[in-house]
Amino acid sequence: MDKDFYISQINKLRKSKNAIILAHFYQTGDIQDIADFVGDSLALAQEALKSSASIIILAGVKFMAETAKILNTDKKVLIPDIEAGCSLADSCKPEDFKKFIDENPGRKVVTYINTTAEIKAMSDIICTSSNALEIINSFPDDEKLIFAPDRNLGNHIKSQTNRDIIIWDGTCHVHEAFSIEAIIKLKEQYPDAKIIVHPECELPVRMIADFIGSTSALLKFTKENKAKTFIVATEPGIFHKMKQESPDKIFIAAPPKDSTCGCSECNYMKLNTLEKIYFALLNEEPEVVLSNEMITKAATPVLKMLEVSRALNIMKKKK
Ligand code: 13P
Ligand code: SF4
């Protein structure tokens, strides 16, 4: 079957079933183009919360689909490929995390959204790379904190505050793979280029960045900055929107340490295809299923994050 067939069938099915497709920036261009909404992890959660659809297809990875389910108990949440996991979420197992919390009593637990529902259920509040600093700063100055699971985002935030934060030692296999040497070589080739970096990257890469931000922040930076060339250290799916929004600019992928591994692509994100979205809509599976108990426990810290984010946004707009 060709691409046009899947697109026309997806369009028919989403209308007849009152379904919406929410896609992350790391999805392939054809998926982003058919999605009702494309965004970063925070925007996907916000969009899921306000949706009136009967079915949500989350074209992203499992933690994103679980978050959509946590916020929509009454809706069917589908993911095109149930194997679309996340190495960062996998680096924080519930039994180990429980032990970590028990060994560090008296600390509030701030957890990155890239975690399983079980980890969210053990947390006081969730954050994403778009709002991590604001979420941390929403606590009193002397509050002792745990941050998990990404050590790079955690250290990036910690370096901007004076707070007592202990950080779980997790990483993302995509973002830890970028080569500082190869990025420096590219910069020599393109001296006017801006180096822009996701906070999940390792410290040496973050240290040479002109800008560090979430996927949506990186996209905004490329639109607003006067530079013509950008060396981009994050998953290359984001290039689709960057090129659409700034067609006259040049985007260069930061190379991974092993030039043969292709590991700057997130193999989990790239499991999703138009064909799988079509079958997910047709058969209404794979469905994200969580127990009511898990949803109730995980919803509190997710909703708290959305509340803090909303309040801060309103305050920013008033200024
Ligand atoms: P964003 O929230 O910045 O989109 O990041 C999600 C992610 O998985 C990064 O690897
Ligand atoms: Fe997870 Fe890394 Fe893929 Fe993001 S890029 S979904 S953190 S494995």
Side-chain angles (χ1 to χ4, degrees):
M1 299 291 173
D2 68 358
K3 196 168 147 179
D4 291 343
F5 169 81
Y6 291 123
I7 293 173
S8 70
Q9 294 304 307
I10 289 167
N11 286 339
K12 270 188 208 157
L13 285 168
R14 75 170 131 192
K15 210 169 183 187
S16 65
K17 296 192 175 199
N18 185 28
I20 54 160
I21 301 166
L22 307 181
H24 187 263
F25 288 126
Y26 294 165
Q27 294 296 285
T28 52
D30 52 5
I31 294 179
Q32 293 190 39
D33 289 344
I34 57 133
D36 296 278
F37 178 83
V38 186
D40 68 2
S41 308
L42 176 63
L44 291 173
Q46 289 166 329
E47 204 60 30
L49 182 65
K50 69 179 189 215
S51 169
S52 58
S54 314
I55 296 177
I56 296 175
I57 301 235
L58 202 308
V61 292
K62 214 170 155 193
F63 76 80
M64 295 172 177
E66 280 189 353
T67 306
K69 182 66 194 177
I70 288 164
L71 296 169
N72 289 283
T73 41
D74 55 330
K75 292 176 190 130
K76 208 172 242 187
V77 176
L78 307 173
I79 180 161
D81 191 317
I82 200 78
E83 299 300 321
C86 168
S87 55
L88 182 52
D90 288 346
S91 72
C92 192
K93 301 273 181 250
E95 55 282 12
D96 299 334
F97 194 50
K98 187 182 177 313
K99 202 166 155 239
F100 188 70
I101 295 173
D102 291 346
E103 283 167 359
N104 294 286
R107 288 176 180 266
K108 294 279 190 242
V109 179
V110 182
T111 305
Y112 193 30
I113 199 162
N114 297 40
T115 45
T116 60
E118 276 167 286
I119 298 292
K120 288 187 176 72
M122 293 182 209
S123 311
D124 292 293
I125 192 163
I126 306 304
C127 72
T128 76
S129 51
S130 271
N131 62 16
L133 185 61
E134 286 83 1
I135 296 290
I136 294 281
N137 284 339
S138 70
F139 286 95
D141 288 347
D142 58 351
E143 187 82 65
K144 290 180 175 7
L145 303 171
I146 285 175
F147 184 89
D150 190 64
R151 66 162 186 242
N152 292 313
L153 174 64
N155 281 313
H156 172 59
I157 300 301
K158 192 173 172 174
S159 70
Q160 297 170 68
T161 68
N162 258 336
R163 287 167 180 272
D164 180 347
I165 311 175
I166 54 169
I167 300 168
W168 181 264
D169 192 20
T171 55
C172 153
H173 72 300
V174 173
H175 288 88
E176 69 175 357
F178 291 113
S179 158
I180 175 80
E181 290 84 5
I183 297 173
I184 290 170
K185 261 193 201 151
L186 273 177
K187 178 74 179 171
E188 283 163 9
Q189 242 177 296
Y190 302 92
D192 296 333
K194 295 281 180 211
I195 299 172
I196 63 169
V197 166
H198 195 278
E200 287 173 21
C201 290
E202 298 280 2
L203 180 63
V205 173
R206 297 200 312 277
M207 278 178 72
I208 57 161
D210 294 296
F211 180 74
I212 301 173
S214 64
T215 50
S216 57
L218 296 178
L219 178 63
K220 188 167 178 272
F221 184 82
T222 58
K223 262 169 60 176
E224 293 175 357
N225 193 272
K226 285 197 183 79
K228 283 272 173 245
T229 308
F230 298 87
I231 298 166
V232 184
T234 196
E235 214 275 354
I238 189 77
F239 285 34
H240 184 67
K241 274 274 177 290
M242 286 178 174
K243 285 178 189 162
Q244 275 181 344
E245 300 199 354
S246 306
D248 55 329
K249 295 186 178 176
I250 298 163
F251 302 100
I252 304 168
K257 289 170 201 149
D258 174 357
S259 59
T260 60
C261 69
C263 45
S264 59
E265 283 218 329
C266 176
N267 49 316
Y268 299 111
M269 285 278 180
K270 297 304 198 256
L271 282 174
N272 298 327
T273 60
L274 284 180
E275 182 184 3
K276 288 179 191 172
I277 292 176
Y278 161 64
F279 280 112
L281 263 173
L282 183 71
N283 302 323
E284 299 188 17
E285 59 173 29
E287 185 179 357
V288 175
V289 182
L290 294 169
S291 71
N292 287 341
E293 193 194 344
M294 185 59 70
I295 288 178
T296 309
K297 281 190 192 156
T300 307
V302 176
L303 287 168
K304 207 184 266 180
M305 166 187 80
L306 294 176
E307 260 169 50
V308 172
S309 267
R310 195 169 36 236
L312 287 169
N313 243 331
I314 292 167
M315 274 158 61
K316 262 191 214 161
K317 277 177 196 153
K318 272 190 186 157
K319 273 186 191 166

